[in-house]
Amino acid sequence: MKKNSILFLVSILCSTLSCSDNESIETIDNETISTDSNTIYFPPINSDTWETIPAQDLGWNISNEQPLYDFLEEKGTKAFIILKNGKIVIEKYLNGGSVSDNNPWYSAGKTLTAFTVGIAQQENLLDINDVSATYLGTGWANITTEQQNAITVRNHLTMTTGLDYNVLNQNCTDANCFTYLNDSDNVWYYHNAAYTILKDIISEATNQEYNTYFDVKIKNRIGMNGAWITLGYANVYYSTARSMSRFGLLSLNKGTWDTTQILTDQNYFTQMTTTSQVLNQSYGYLWWLNGKSSYRVPGFENEFIGSLIPNAPDDLIAGLGKNDQKLYIVPSQNLVIVRMGDDTGGSLLGPSGFDNELWGKINLLIK
């Protein structure tokens, strides 16, 4: 897509709202707190209303709140939200960001696609164990029929297709960009193009555009805003930080929004958010997993020993995108944390040193 077209589409997404730097958005006070401190609150659909709870009421160390904001501002953050039990504890907009800004999720949006695949499977429209060619046809890759028949939808979800990632453009989804390197299930490598064509698999399986199916099955049902935008070969989701928080709440509650069941297949949810293969312990179905004994990261073939984010809770699951777009979910603490903004300095596609730095600051606040 040409640059002007991209800017035009993004401008459609972005409504204007006057908010200054370092602004905290006012929300309604939480006057009626549930007697069950672990009850998850869900904000109303199609409403800007969102209950809050002060950090001091949670016993957090508020003397470490400003140092966290200073760090976030220094690192180019535009939006930062912490939810506890679904309620907003912190909501900050920095470096010119505002509550109405639509920011790119980049690869954090892979989590949206993983959810969408799960919904299509629970509706019996696809099976992740099916060969990809069932939905893509036989000409989707420049490999033999035998090699095609060894690649399943699950391989695309787990980054184990075996397709050659040593190509000029790892985002290229043209058939001639998909060539054989390894047998499927034998190598884990973060190959964006192999992920991106999941949208084509979903479109064929559901007999409708991926964007339309996503909107009906997830976005509209939990009150998200935003849209998928095509940037070259990539398909990138843009939304407000609050919309990312809404999806975080859906994920925290294992696919149920308040009393509305959206992803009902709990076996799939568990598979999606736990180690999905033996090659990268810290990767589920397009979700990053903390607390494992080793991990692999985008751009490297090496395995690294240790936890993905040592400072973060072991049960953390995450959507991690380019330029440090972060969606953290901590089930043991009923936390959802969102960071959107500019590159913090590492220029990495997913996990980065910023994760550990940020969690060091968060821990000083919440412990």
Side-chain angles (χ1 to χ4, degrees):
M1 181 180 291
K2 294 181 180 179
K3 182 177 181 181
N4 289 341
S5 299
I6 295 170
L7 292 174
F8 174 73
L9 286 170
V10 173
S11 68
I12 291 175
L13 288 174
C14 298
S15 59
T16 57
L17 182 68
S18 176
C19 293
S20 62
D21 285 2
N22 304 314
E23 178 182 5
S24 293
I25 300 303
E26 292 297 324
T27 51
I28 66 170
D29 291 332
N30 182 27
E31 296 176 353
T32 55
I33 300 175
S34 170
T35 55
D36 181 358
S37 62
N38 291 316
T39 297
I40 299 177
Y41 162 81
F42 293 87
I45 304 297
N46 301 320
S47 171
D48 292 332
T49 300
W50 203 312
E51 287 188 14
T52 66
I53 183 168
Q56 55 265 35
D57 287 6
L58 297 170
W60 291 5
N61 187 348
I62 59 174
S63 65
N64 289 317
E65 196 170 340
Q66 190 58 49
L68 170 62
Y69 300 154
D70 293 342
F71 171 76
L72 291 168
E73 184 169 28
E74 176 190 347
K75 293 295 186 177
T77 302
K78 293 188 174 181
F80 184 76
I81 295 175
I82 297 181
L83 306 181
K84 174 69 172 179
N85 298 328
K87 299 181 178 73
I88 294 174
V89 185
I90 289 174
E91 183 174 26
K92 292 292 285 187
Y93 297 93
L94 307 153
N95 294 302
S98 78
V99 67
S100 61
D101 286 349
N102 289 285
N103 299 300
W105 291 41
Y106 293 125
S107 286
K110 287 180 168 67
T111 57
L112 297 171
T113 301
F115 248 84
T116 308
V117 169
I119 292 171
Q121 178 170 263
Q122 79 186 17
E123 294 182 338
N124 297 316
L125 299 175
L126 62 75
D127 187 321
I128 65 171
N129 295 310
D130 284 344
V131 171
S132 304
T134 304
Y135 310 99
L136 296 172
T138 56
W140 70 273
N142 186 21
I143 55 179
T144 67
T145 300
E146 182 181 3
Q147 290 163 352
Q148 281 191 21
N149 289 339
I151 299 174
T152 65
V153 177
R154 190 177 185 277
N155 290 129
H156 296 272
L157 288 167
T158 59
M159 299 290 181
T160 57
T161 61
L163 295 167
D164 193 355
Y165 46 82
N166 300 304
V167 291
L168 186 62
N169 183 354
Q170 287 191 6
N171 290 321
C172 176
T173 55
D174 296 337
N176 60 6
C177 291
F178 288 131
T179 56
Y180 175 85
L181 180 62
N182 302 286
D183 289 345
S184 60
D185 293 313
N186 277 265
V187 172
W188 188 94
Y189 195 88
Y190 195 81
H191 189 179
N192 254 334
Y195 146 75
T196 300
I197 58 171
L198 278 168
K199 70 180 179 65
D200 299 322
I201 291 173
I202 293 169
S203 293
E204 180 63 28
T206 62
N207 197 32
Q208 57 188 295
E209 289 295 320
Y210 168 74
N211 300 7
T212 302
Y213 187 74
F214 168 80
D215 286 356
V216 171
K217 298 299 179 178
I218 299 178
K219 172 187 167 181
N220 297 342
R221 300 186 74 188
I222 67 173
M224 291 177 67
N225 84 314
W228 292 95
I229 300 295
T230 301
L231 304 177
Y233 288 102
N235 197 38
V236 177
Y237 200 71
Y238 280 75
S239 83
T240 62
R242 281 192 170 198
S243 282
M244 184 183 271
S245 299
R246 282 178 178 268
F247 179 68
L249 271 180
L250 176 67
S251 303
L252 177 65
N253 209 36
K254 298 183 177 181
T256 296
W257 182 264
D258 200 359
T259 58
T260 302
Q261 292 184 317
I262 294 174
L263 180 57
T264 59
D265 185 346
Q266 288 302 293
N267 287 333
Y268 179 88
F269 182 89
T270 298
Q271 293 164 10
M272 178 176 69
T273 55
T274 54
T275 303
S276 60
Q277 27 61 51
V278 298
L279 302 165
N280 186 355
Q281 294 184 28
S282 299
Y283 207 69
Y285 293 166
L286 305 175
W287 282 84
W288 291 97
L289 317 173
N290 201 40
K292 310 304 177 183
S293 61
S294 64
Y295 61 93
R296 297 178 189 270
V297 294
F300 293 88
E301 297 178 352
N302 317 61
E303 181 181 49
F304 300 93
I305 302 303
S307 183
L308 186 69
I309 311 173
N311 283 336
D314 283 347
D315 65 327
L316 174 144
I317 61 174
L320 306 175
K322 185 177 75 170
N323 295 347
D324 287 307
Q325 316 311 316
K326 309 295 184 184
L327 171 60
Y328 302 126
I329 296 155
V330 183
S332 62
Q333 300 181 42
N334 277 358
L335 287 174
V336 173
I337 301 176
V338 165
R339 186 270 178 190
M340 305 180 97
D342 296 331
D343 179 19
T344 63
S347 298
L348 300 176
L349 293 178
S352 72
F354 175 74
D355 291 291
N356 211 44
E357 285 186 89
L358 177 56
W359 269 98
K361 302 291 185 182
I362 292 171
N363 287 339
L364 293 174
L365 173 65
I366 69 177
K367 291 183 178 179

